[in-house]
C-alpha cells in the first residue's frame, strides 16, 4: 500500500511540473503516515533531509560547481578550448570528442559526476554552442561522459561499494574500473559521431585554430590546475573533497590575477549562481535520502531479492534481471543510497551463483551511472540541464543514442567478466 | 502589494546570506588543508563546521532557489496546456509547496529542534548544541511558506505576468 | 515493478521491534543481533518480531539515536563514544588504559557501574540493555614502525570525530587528524594521514591492511558497544515481555563475545597472511604517555567514576 501511494503521488506531482525534490518529499511523507504517526513521520522526514546532505564528501559539489563557474567566466575555459581545438578541432565533430575526454578526465579527478558536469559543462557547453552544436547535444554529451569518473579512480563510490560489500579489495576495484571506464568513453564518442551524422549537424569548424604551441602556452596555467588537483590528491596533500576547495582558490587566482578577465563586480552574481545550483542538487540528494530511508524501513529491498531467487539459477539470467531492476531503481534513486541499500541484497545472490564481487561491483556502478543521467531523478542530468539551460524534454532526443552506448557498455561488462577482472589479475590483486 | 515588496527585499538579503555562507565554507576547508602544513596539530573542528555549513547552505539555498524558480521540474506536460490552465497548475504547485513547508519543514523540523533542545544533544567535536544545526529546517520552512504565499498572491492577481515573481539573472554567470 | 509487493500490517497481538545498526551482515554484531531476534522469537512464542536493518540503511549511529528519540525506531547498537553526546559519563570509556585487562573490563560493565551507565540515558528517552565486545583499538601505520609513543611524533593519525580521541593521540605525541571513515582508505593510501587506529576486525574488514605495513597492538582503548532500546517502546512492553527481551539480550551478548574473539583471531591471521607486520609492543611507555591526560580531567563525576573503576582492579 505504502509503495502505491508513494508511486502514484510522485507521478501526479511530477506531471504537474512540481519541483522534483518537493515531489519526492511529499510522496515520501504521504506514504510514511500510512504506517507511522504523523508527528514522528514529519520529524523523521525532516531529519533525513538534513542527514542526506550531512556528508563531508558532498562538499566536492559546491566547490567544483563554483570552480566550474570561475573557469567558465575567467578565461580558463577559452584557453583550454583553444588548446583542445588545436588538437582535435579539425575533425568533424571534434568538440564533441573533446567534451567526452574532458569530462572523463574531470570525473576521474573529482570522483563526482555532478562536479565534473558543472566544471566541464560550465565551459564546454557554451563553447560548443558557439561552434554550432545544439545546447541539447552538448549537455547530453557532458552528462553521460561525466559518469565515467565513477569507474576511474579515485572514486568514492567504489570505496562505498567496498564497504557495503564487506570485503572486496579497494585496490582491486580501483584497477578494475579503468578498462570499463575507457570502454564507456570510447562508445560515447562513437555514439556522438553517429548522432551528428544522422541529424546532419555539421558544426562549423573553429573559425580560428591557433598553432599548437601558442595555444598550449596559453592553456598551460589552466592545465596546471589539473596537475595541481591530481598531483595534490595522489601526492597526499589533500583528499578529493579538499581538492575542490583548492581548485576554487586556484581558478580564482587565475581568473583575477593571471588572465585578469574577472573583476570584483562579477564575483557576487557568480557566487550566487553557484550557491543556487548547489542547493538545487543538495535538496534532491536530501529528498532521495528520505525516500530511500522509507523504502528500507518498509523492507522493500529484501522483498525484491527474495522474489528474484525464486526465478532462476542461471547466473547470466539473474545478472540480466539484476541489471533491469537496477536500471529501474537508478531512474528514481541516487547512487550512494542505491549502492548502500542494494549491494548487501544483490551481492549474496550473485555470489551464490559464482559471480565475483569485483565483476558485480563494476557492473553495478556502471549500471547506476546510467541512472544518474535518467529522469525523473538523476542528479547529473539535472545539473547538466541546469548548466546547459535546457529543459529535460529538450535533452531527451540527443541523450537517447548515448544511453544506447552506455547500455551496450553495460552488456559487454556484464557478459565478459574479463573486462573488469583482467587488469586486477595482471597485478595479482 | 506590500507583502510582495517585502518578499522581494527578503529574497535579496537571503541571496547575500547564502553567498556569505559559501565564502565561509571555502575559507573553512582551505584552512583545513593549510593547517596540515603550517601547524603541528591540524585543526580538528573544520570538518564539522564544513558539514554544518553545507546543511545550512542546502536548505536556505533551496528556499532562495524556489523564490527565483530555479528548481528542476518535469515541464513536458504542463507546457502544453493553455495559459489559463497553466496558472491553475502553478497554483496547485504553490499549495503543495505550502503543505511541504508546513508539515515537513515547520512541524517536522520544529519537532527535531524541540527534541534535540530538550534532550541536550551536542556535536561531537565543537560541542555546539545541535539546535543551531537543525534550526535551519524550520527556518527554511518559514521562507518556503512565505514565498509560496507570495507566489499564490501574484498568480491570483489579475493582469499579472503569468510566471510569477521575477525570474531574474539567469544570465549573469555567463558560463 | 517492485511497488507491487506489499507487506500487510501485523495482527494486533503481535509486536514488531525495528532494530537498526551500522555494520554489515558478516559482522559479529549483526550475527549476534540476529541471534537476539531468533531467541526473542522463541521466548515470546512468535509474538515479538524483530526486524533487523543492518549496514546503516536507516542512518548513522547518531541519526539512529535521534530516530529512537522521535519514536520511529525501537532499538539499535551504538558505540559508547557515540553516546557521549547524550550520556556524558560514557566519555570515561574514551580514556586510554582505563582497564587492567579483559576480566577487569567485564567486571566493571557487568557490575553496578555498568548498570548505572546503562540507565543514565533514560531521561534522554534511550535505555541501555547491555554491552557488546568491541575489542581494543590499536594503531596501524602505512610506512612508519611504531614501537613506543615517541615514534608517533610527527605522524598524522586519523582519529574518530570525537574530542577525547583527538586529545588522546595528541597527548601521546601524534597529530590527531579527523578524517571520515569512508575517506580513510584513500587518505592512508595517498599519505594524507600516516596511520589510524581501530580494532582488528575493523582493520581487516575495512581493507586498510592493504595500505598499512604495521599493526601495533598497543590496545590503548576498550570502548564497548551498547545495545539501546527507546523508552517509548520499553514502556509499551509488559513485565513479561521485558523479561524476554533481557534474557534474549544476555544470550546474544554471550554469543557475541565468543564470535568477537574468533573474529579478532581470524582478522589478525588474515592480515599477517597478507604481509602486515603485527607488533606486540611493551605497553608500559604507552601507558605512561597518557598519564598527563588523566591529570587534566577536572570533571568531578568522571573523576569519581575513574576511581570507582580503578577500585575494581585486582592483582
Ligand atoms: Na574518479
Ligand atoms: Na535517474
Amino acid at each position: 500500500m505504502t509503495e502505491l501511494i508513494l508511486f502514484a503521488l510522485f507521478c501526479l506531482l511530477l506531471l504537474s511540473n512540481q519541483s522534483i525534490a518537493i515531489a519526492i518529499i511529499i510522496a515520501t511523507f504521504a506514504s510514511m503516515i500510512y504506517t507511522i504517526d504523523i508527528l514522528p513521520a514529519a520529524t523523521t522526514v525532516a531529519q533525513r533531509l538534513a542527514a542526506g546532505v550531512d556528508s563531508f564528501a558532498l562538499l566536492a559539489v559546491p566547490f567544483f560547481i563554483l570552480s566550474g563557474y570561475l573557469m567558465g567566466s575567467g578565461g580558463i575555459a577559452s584557453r583550454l578550448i583553444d588548446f583542445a581545438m588545436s588538437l582535435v578541432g579539425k575533425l568533424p565533430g571534434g568538440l564533441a570528442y573533446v567534451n567526452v575526454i574532458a569530462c572523463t578526465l574531470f570525473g576521474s579527478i573529482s570522483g563526482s559526476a555532478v562536479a565534473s558536469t558543472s566544471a566541464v559543462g560550465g565551459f564546454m557547453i557554451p563553447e560548443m554552442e558557439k561552434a554550432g552544436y545544439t545546447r541539447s547535444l552538448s549537455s547530453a554529451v557532458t552528462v553521460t561522459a561525466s559518469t565515467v569518473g565513477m569507474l576511474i579512480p579515485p572514486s568514492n563510490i567504489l570505496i562505498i561499494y567496498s564497504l557495503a560489500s564487506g570485503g572486496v579489495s579497494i585496490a582491486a576495484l580501483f584497477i578494475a574500473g579503468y578498462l570499463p571506464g575507457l570502454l564507456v568513453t570510447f562508445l560515447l564518442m562513437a555514439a556522438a559521431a553517429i548522432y551528428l551524422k544522422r541529424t546532419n549537424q555539421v558544426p562549423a569548424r573553429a573559425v580560428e585554430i591557433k598553432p599548437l604551441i601558442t595555444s598550449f602556452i596559453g592553456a598551460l596555467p589552466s592545465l596546471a590546475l589539473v596537475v595541481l588537483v591530481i598531483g595534490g590528491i595522489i601526492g597526499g596533500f589533500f583528499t578529493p573533497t579538499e581538492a575542490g576547495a583548492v581548485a576554487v582558490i586556484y581558478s580564482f587566482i587565475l581568473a583575477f590575477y593571471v588572465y585578469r578577465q574577472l573583476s570584483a563586480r562579477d564575483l557576487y552574481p557568480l557566487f550566487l549562481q553557484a550557491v543556487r545550483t548547489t542547493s538545487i542538487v543538495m535538496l534532491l540528494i536530501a529528498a532521495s535520502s528520505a525516500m530511500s530511508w522509507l523504502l528500507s524501513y518498509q523492507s522493500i529491498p529484501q522483498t525484491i531479492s527474495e522474489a528474484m531467487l525464486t526465478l532462476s539459477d542461471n547466473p547470466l539470467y539473474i545478472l540480466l534481471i539484476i541489471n533491469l531492476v537496477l536500471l529501474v531503481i537508478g531512474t528514481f534513486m541516487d547512487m550512494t543510497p542505491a549502492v548502500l541499500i542494494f549491494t548487501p541484497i544483490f551481492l549474496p545472490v550473485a555470489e551464490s551463483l559464482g559471480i565475483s564481487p569485483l565483476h558485480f561491483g563494476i557492473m553495478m556502478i556502471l549500471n547506476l551511472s546510467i541512472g544518474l543521467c535518467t529522469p525523473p531523478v538523476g542528479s547529473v542530468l539535472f545539473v547538466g540541464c541546469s548548466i546547459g539551460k535546457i529543459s529535460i524534454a529538450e535533452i531527451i532526443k540527443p541523450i537517447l543514442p548515448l544511453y544506447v552506448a552506455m547500455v551496450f557498455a553495460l552488456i559487454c561488462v556484464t557478459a565478459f567478466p574479463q573486462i573488469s577482472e583482467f587488469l586486477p589479475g595482471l597485478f595479482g590483486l | 502589494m506590500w507583502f510582495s515588496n517585502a518578499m522581494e527585499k527578503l529574497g535579496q538579503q537571503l541571496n547575500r546570506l547564502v553567498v556569505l555562507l559559501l565564502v565561509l565554507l571555502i575559507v573553512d576547508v582551505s584552512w583545513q588543508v593549510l593547517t596540515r602544513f603550517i601547524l603541528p596539530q591540524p585543526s580538528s573542528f573544520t570538518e564539522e563546521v564544513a558539514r554544518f555549513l553545507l546543511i545550512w547552505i542546502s536548505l536556505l539555498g533551496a528556499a532562495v532557489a524556489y523564490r527565483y524558480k530555479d528548481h528542476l521540474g518535469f515541464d513536458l506536460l504542463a507546457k502544453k496546456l493553455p495559459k489559463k490552465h497553466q496558472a491553475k497548475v502553478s497554483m496547485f504547485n504553490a499549495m503543495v509547496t505550502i503543505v511541504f513547508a508546513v508539515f515537513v519543514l515547520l512541524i517536522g523540523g520544529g519537532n527535531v529542534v524541540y527534541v534535540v533542545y530538550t534532550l541536550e544533544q551536542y556535536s561531537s567535536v565543537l560541542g555546539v548544541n545541535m539546535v543551531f544545526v537543525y534550526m535551519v529546517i524550520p527556518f527554511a520552512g518559514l521562507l518556503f511558506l512565505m514565498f509560496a504565499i507570495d507566489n499564490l498572491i501574484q498568480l491570483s492577481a489579475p493582469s499579472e505576468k503569468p510566471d510569477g515573481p521575477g525570474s531574474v539573472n539567469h544570465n549573469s554567470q555567463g558560463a | 515493478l517492485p511497488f507491487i509487493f506489499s507487506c500487510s500490517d501485523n495482527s494486533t497481538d503481535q509486536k514488531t521491534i525495528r532494530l537498526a545498526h551500522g555494520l554489515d551482515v558478516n559482522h559479529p554484531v549483526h550475527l549476534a543481533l540476529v541471534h537476539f531476534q531468533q531467541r526473542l522469537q522463541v521466548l515470546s512464542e512468535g509474538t515479538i518480531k524483530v526486524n533487523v536493518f543492518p549496514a546503516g540503511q536507516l542512518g548513522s549511529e547518531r541519526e539512529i539515536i535521534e530516530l529512537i528519540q522521535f519514536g520511529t525506531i525501537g532499538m539499535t547498537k551504538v558505540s559508547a563514544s557515540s553516546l557521549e553526546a547524550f550520556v556524558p559519563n560514557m566519555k570515561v570509556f574514551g580514556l586510554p588504559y582505563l582497564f587492567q585487562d579483559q576480566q577487569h573490563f567485564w567486571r566493571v560493565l557487568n557490575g553496578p557501574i555498568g548498570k548505572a551507565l546503562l540507565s543514565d540515558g533514560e531521561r534522554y528517552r534511550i535505555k541501555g540493555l547491555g554491552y557488546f565486545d568491541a575489542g581494543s583499538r590499536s594503531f596501524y601505520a602505512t610506512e612508519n614502525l611504531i614501537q613506543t609513543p615517541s615514534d608517533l611524533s610527527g605522524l598524522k593519525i586519523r582519529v574518530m570525530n570525537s574530542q577525547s580521541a583527538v586529545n588522546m593521540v595528541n597527548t601521546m605525541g601524534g597529530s590527531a587528524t579527523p578524517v571520515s571513515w569512508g575517506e580513510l582508505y584513500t587518505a592512508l593510501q595517498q599519505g594524507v594521514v600516516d596511520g589510524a587506529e581501530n580494532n582488528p576486525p575493523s582493520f581487516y574488514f575495512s581493507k586498510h591492511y592493504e595500505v598499512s605495513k604495521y599493526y601495533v597492538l598497543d590496545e590503548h582503548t576498550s570502548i564497548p558497544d551498547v545495545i539501546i532500546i527507546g523508552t517509548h517502546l520499553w514502556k509499551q512492553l509488559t513485565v513479561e515481555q521485558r523479561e524476554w527481551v533481557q534474557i534474549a539480550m544476555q544470550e546474544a551478548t554471550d554469543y557475541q563475545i565468543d564470535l568477537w574473539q574468533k573474529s579478532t583471531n581470524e582478522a589478525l591471521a588474515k592480515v599477517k597472511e597478507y604481509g602486515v607486520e603485527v607488533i606486540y609492543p611493551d605497553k608500559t611507555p604507552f601507558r605512561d604517555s597518557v598519564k598527563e591526560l588523566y591529570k587534566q580531567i577536572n570533571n568531578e563525576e568522571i573523576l569519581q567514576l575513574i576511581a570507582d573503576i580503578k577500585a575494581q582492579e585486582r592483582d
Side-chain angles (χ1 to χ4, degrees), chain A residues 1 3 7 36 43-44 47-48 51 54 56 159 166-167 169-171 233 235-236 241 293 296-297 303-304, chain C residues 2-3 5-7 18 24 53 57-59 62-63 66-67 70 72 182-183 185-186 190-192 207 210:
Chain A
M1 193 57 206
E3 302 79 7
F7 200 60
I36 305 176
T43 314
T44 301
Q47 186 230 31
R48 292 324 297 167
D54 183 5
F56 191 72
I159 295 174
S169 151
I170 295 174
I233 295 173
T241 306
W293 187 92
S296 307
Y297 190 78
T303 318
I304 297 170
Chain C
F3 294 100
F5 306 104
S6 187
C7 36
R18 287 187 165 85
D24 77 56
F53 298 92
Q57 286 174 20
L58 298 186
R62 187 181 57 73
E63 289 156 12
E66 285 174 9
L67 290 166
F70 304 153
T72 319
E183 279 189 313
Y185 183 94
T186 333
Q190 295 169 346
V192 172
K207 302 265 148 191
E210 290 177 358

Side-chain angles (χ1 to χ4, degrees), chain A residues 106-112 148-156:
Chain A
F106 250 85
S108 313
I109 303 162
S110 66
S112 156
V148 177
M150 305 276 91
L151 290 167
I152 298 181
S155 162
N156 281 330

Side-chain angles (χ1 to χ4, degrees), chain C residues 200-232:
Chain C
S202 299
F203 179 55
Y204 173 61
F205 279 127
S206 64
K207 302 265 148 191
H208 292 167
Y209 64 87
E210 290 177 358
V211 287
S212 306
K213 270 196 197 144
Y214 302 105
Y215 191 34
V216 189
L217 292 175
D218 67 310
E219 306 190 314
H220 43 262
T221 44
S222 305
I223 306 176
D225 280 343
V226 186
I227 310 299
I228 282 173
I229 189 164
T231 49
H232 79 280

Side-chain angles (χ1 to χ4, degrees), chain B residues 47-120:
Chain B
E47 171 176 344
E48 205 171 85
V49 171
R51 285 192 292 114
F52 294 165
L53 275 174
L54 188 62
I55 297 176
W56 270 74
I57 290 174
S58 303
L59 283 160
L60 286 185
V64 176
Y66 173 71
R67 166 80 192 167
Y68 296 104
K69 302 199 168 299
D70 284 347
H71 280 284
L72 292 149
F74 192 70
D75 50 5
L76 200 55
L77 218 74
K79 260 189 180 165
K80 288 196 172 140
L81 293 171
K83 276 266 178 315
K84 208 171 69 186
H85 293 294
Q86 279 192 23
K88 275 186 191 151
V89 170
S90 297
M91 285 176 88
F92 172 70
N93 277 340
M95 285 186 280
V96 171
T97 306
I98 289 176
V99 172
F100 160 68
V102 171
F103 281 91
V104 176
L105 297 181
L106 274 172
I107 297 178
N111 193 41
V112 173
V113 172
Y114 172 76
V115 171
V116 166
Y117 174 73
T118 52
L119 302 182
E120 306 167 48

Side-chain angles (χ1 to χ4, degrees), chain C residues 243-288:
Chain C
E243 219 159 87
W244 293 335
V245 169
Q246 302 272 27
I247 295 169
M249 192 76 260
Q250 190 50 56
E251 291 178 19
T253 305
D254 296 341
Y255 183 72
Q256 192 268 347
I257 293 171
D258 195 39
L259 271 184
W260 182 267
Q261 204 44 58
K262 282 184 194 142
S263 176
T264 301
N265 296 340
E266 202 181 294
L268 286 175
K270 291 268 186 191
V271 301
K272 277 181 197 163
E273 197 178 300
Y274 186 84
V276 173
E277 195 175 327
V278 177
I279 292 147
Y280 298 84
D282 176 13
K283 289 186 199 170
T284 327
F286 285 96
R287 216 180 267 273
D288 291 342

Side-chain angles (χ1 to χ4, degrees), chain A residues 290-307:
Chain A
M291 185 177 73
S292 42
W293 187 92
L294 177 69
L295 293 179
S296 307
Y297 190 78
Q298 299 292 355
S299 303
I300 289 169
Q302 283 85 329
T303 318
I304 297 170
S305 81
E306 278 158 27

Side-chain angles (χ1 to χ4, degrees), chain B residues 26-46:
Chain B
I26 295 166
V27 171
D28 175 84
V29 178
S30 310
W31 178 248
Q32 170 162 328
V33 181
L34 215 63
T35 51
R36 248 191 241 138
F37 301 104
I38 301 176
L39 304 179
Q41 288 174 354
S43 102
S44 55
F45 66 91
T46 41

